[in-house]
Amino acid sequence: MKRLKNNKFLYTPFVLLVVVFASVSCIESEYHSSTITDEASHPVLLVSIDGFMNEYIERNETPNFDLFLSNGVQAEYLISVFPTNTFPTHWSIVTGLYVENHGIIANSFYDYELDANFSYGPPDSSPNDERWWGGEPIWATAERQGKTAVTFFWPGSEASINGIQPTKWVDYDGSIPDSVRIDSVMTWLDPAGDVQADFATLYFSFVDSRGHRHGPDSPEVDAAVVEMDGILGYLIEKVEETGLAENLNIILVSDHGMAATNEERVIFLDEIINLNDVDVVSWSPAGMLKPAEGKTEEVYLALKENQENYRVYLREEIPERLHFRDHYRIPDILILADPGFTITIRPFFQRRGVLPGTHGYDNLAPEMFTFFAASGPDFKIGEIVPPIESIHIYELLAALLKIEPAPNDGSAGELYHLLR
Ligand code: AMP
Ligand code: ZN
Ligand code: ZN
């Protein structure tokens, strides 16, 4: 969450300039927020296409994406949060919190206080327990303020947060056909229906799965992108059928990119340190190590001496821009593989090898840059804006829904230039 860390520049001319500039921006934000607060809000549909890169559209025939983009606004790319994995990134989008402030530090990790494993598949403890999830997701903010929110999948949407769940939500089941997800959400958004939702989410995972299995540059990913284009076409058709074409704001977002990986680019952790000296809280490519009592320095120095194709940090050295230090779940040592590299150990590598694609790297690695586009009554038409950061999406959603956001790390107004 936002904290005023340093006020020593408070009276310099530089700051005066900033203050003048900020006041101008405030006026501008006011202008925008007043244009979107005067009337009733338009419903918002937030669609996540997991692991979807901008270049996927550029290199494929995607008539429905093209149509969507020509009717809306697109960011050159979206910068996600670190680590660039599905659960941390999705939770940041809907809470506006950096990972160190929401605590979902990886897709799978161990929590020593709860003495439990966070993991999104059986047989481990389910992530529905609300103690895992820090912050307030936009659907809870909306429901708390009398709006109706629905989700057809979003990481964390199955958990009740402060006793609040979306009015409609569905237990994750990746086998539910994408058209069924769309049909249900459109029924819930239907202005003539029983639910008349103000906010809805959809989530599609197959482009990401294909990227892992075949690599981001594969024909299989291209086929998945064309398939996704068809699904977008189906969605647009349904929106028109429901009579929402003029009234619904649709945001298409992805959570991270995909880097090509291979068996030549591996870091064997068991050849650098003695694995008995550490617990691995989370694996590759952002390896989180909890050294045994008294072993931190020895483990750290061994990793530092062999630092090649990765960077190693003691927790307090982790670059501030990663916003990945403060949470108690983050252990003493972070070993972060360079893009394209995989951290593994010999026995695992021999059994399982390395998949051709992955993510989880530094959020400023270009391979992790991802996709954002929006269209609807509140968004500009036919514009491409410079890169934006996913941390501000929560504030944007709150502004669109005309609700008071919960405290968060995003900035109100930061994305208002996307609005009409
Ligand atoms: P990743 O391993 O980071 O690529 O995560 C993508 C995977 O997360 C998807 O293929 C799904 O299996 C899984 N996933 C996404 N959303 C959910 C959810 N709400 N509950 C459980 N698993 C999910
Ligand atoms: Zn993902
Ligand atoms: Zn993935």
Side-chain angles (χ1 to χ4, degrees):
M1 264 161 261
K2 252 178 305 234
R3 284 179 205 115
L4 202 58
K5 285 204 170 130
N6 185 339
N7 61 6
K8 70 179 169 200
F9 295 120
L10 215 58
Y11 299 106
T12 65
F14 167 73
V15 163
L16 277 177
L17 250 181
V18 170
V19 169
V20 171
F21 180 73
S23 329
V24 173
S25 324
C26 273
I27 294 165
E28 205 186 345
S29 309
E30 271 294 299
Y31 167 73
H32 277 297
S33 60
S34 64
T35 46
I36 55 177
T37 38
D38 285 349
E39 307 152 21
S41 64
H42 298 109
V44 180
L45 172 59
L46 177 67
V47 183
S48 164
I49 311 169
D50 203 306
F52 194 83
M53 302 174 84
N54 288 296
E55 64 184 62
Y56 288 176
I57 295 183
E58 286 149 26
R59 66 177 202 228
N60 285 290
E61 288 285 310
T62 52
N64 294 302
F65 276 102
D66 299 349
L67 180 69
F68 187 92
L69 299 177
S70 65
N71 285 330
V73 53
Q74 182 184 11
E76 267 173 52
Y77 53 85
L78 179 71
I79 302 171
S80 197
V81 296
F82 175 81
T84 45
N85 279 317
T86 298
F87 276 71
T89 55
H90 276 86
W91 197 241
S92 288
I93 291 172
V94 293
T95 59
L97 294 176
Y98 287 115
V99 170
E100 65 184 354
N101 292 328
H102 68 48
I104 304 298
I105 62 166
N107 278 355
S108 326
F109 59 90
Y110 191 75
D111 181 318
Y112 288 85
E113 258 178 39
L114 298 176
D115 189 20
N117 221 14
F118 179 94
S119 162
Y120 57 86
D124 296 306
S125 72
S126 125
N128 292 6
D129 183 332
E130 85 170 88
R131 287 175 305 171
W132 291 112
W133 308 90
E136 183 177 78
I138 189 71
W139 55 79
T141 312
E143 291 273 351
R144 196 162 51 69
Q145 295 176 49
K147 301 265 179 183
T148 301
V150 299
T151 53
F152 209 123
F153 301 157
W154 196 275
S157 62
E158 303 91 339
S160 134
I161 309 289
N162 302 326
I164 303 176
Q165 279 192 284
T167 294
K168 299 276 182 192
W169 59 277
V170 184
D171 249 329
Y172 189 75
D173 175 356
S175 72
I176 295 181
D178 297 321
S179 60
V180 172
R181 306 177 194 190
I182 293 173
D183 292 348
S184 309
V185 160
M186 289 319 300
T187 310
W188 298 334
L189 283 167
D190 188 343
D194 297 337
V195 180
Q196 299 180 14
D198 301 289
F199 173 77
T201 70
L202 276 167
Y203 169 81
F204 304 107
S205 70
F206 64 91
V207 176
D208 174 76
S209 317
R210 219 74 70 83
H212 284 292
R213 223 172 304 136
H214 303 282
D217 305 315
S218 62
E220 288 84 353
V221 162
D222 287 342
V225 171
V226 171
E227 206 180 308
M228 188 61 229
D229 188 68
I231 290 169
L232 178 60
Y234 181 75
L235 172 65
I236 294 170
E237 211 179 286
K238 286 281 151 188
V239 170
E240 280 164 7
E241 265 175 39
T242 318
L244 278 170
E246 305 294 312
N247 205 31
L248 179 67
N249 288 308
I250 304 179
I251 300 176
L252 303 182
V253 68
S254 184
D255 54 342
H256 48 70
M258 186 67 70
T261 40
N262 61 41
E263 302 196 343
E264 265 85 65
R265 292 188 288 176
V266 259
I267 298 149
F268 290 110
L269 197 57
D270 50 345
E271 292 179 356
I272 306 173
I273 59 168
N274 182 345
L275 284 181
N276 294 326
D277 291 344
V278 294
D279 280 344
V280 182
V281 173
S282 191
W283 277 97
S284 185
M288 301 174 204
L289 310 180
K290 181 175 165 38
E293 192 77 37
K295 287 285 181 186
T296 305
E297 198 177 342
E298 186 183 331
V299 171
Y300 173 71
L301 288 177
L303 286 163
K304 193 86 184 166
E305 269 163 31
N306 290 283
Q307 188 166 248
E308 195 183 341
N309 307 322
Y310 66 82
R311 283 167 289 157
V312 62
Y313 303 105
L314 286 172
R315 184 178 150 145
E316 58 272 20
E317 297 173 335
I318 299 174
E320 210 164 320
R321 68 173 179 80
L322 294 176
H323 300 280
F324 193 76
R325 261 190 215 169
D326 270 359
H327 203 277
Y328 76 88
R329 288 178 187 150
I330 300 168
D332 286 347
I333 295 178
L334 172 70
I335 154 169
L336 178 55
D338 291 345
F341 281 82
T342 302
I343 303 167
T344 186
I345 51 172
R346 281 278 171 199
F348 186 86
F349 178 75
Q350 268 144 18
R351 257 185 302 128
R352 303 275 290 272
V354 168
L355 283 172
T358 204
H359 49 85
Y361 300 100
D362 192 326
N363 59 336
L364 288 189
E367 295 91 330
M368 296 299 104
F369 292 164
T370 192
F371 179 77
F372 179 99
S375 101
D378 290 321
F379 288 100
K380 285 186 175 157
I381 296 177
E383 271 197 40
I384 298 178
V385 298
I388 62 174
E389 293 175 71
S390 69
I391 203 72
H392 305 298
I393 294 176
Y394 172 82
E395 283 279 353
L396 176 69
L397 292 170
L400 288 168
L401 293 167
K402 297 178 180 176
I403 55 178
E404 201 52 50
N408 69 92
D409 296 320
S411 305
E414 188 68 28
L415 298 183
Y416 286 1
H417 62 298
L418 308 186
L419 300 172
R420 284 188 201 177

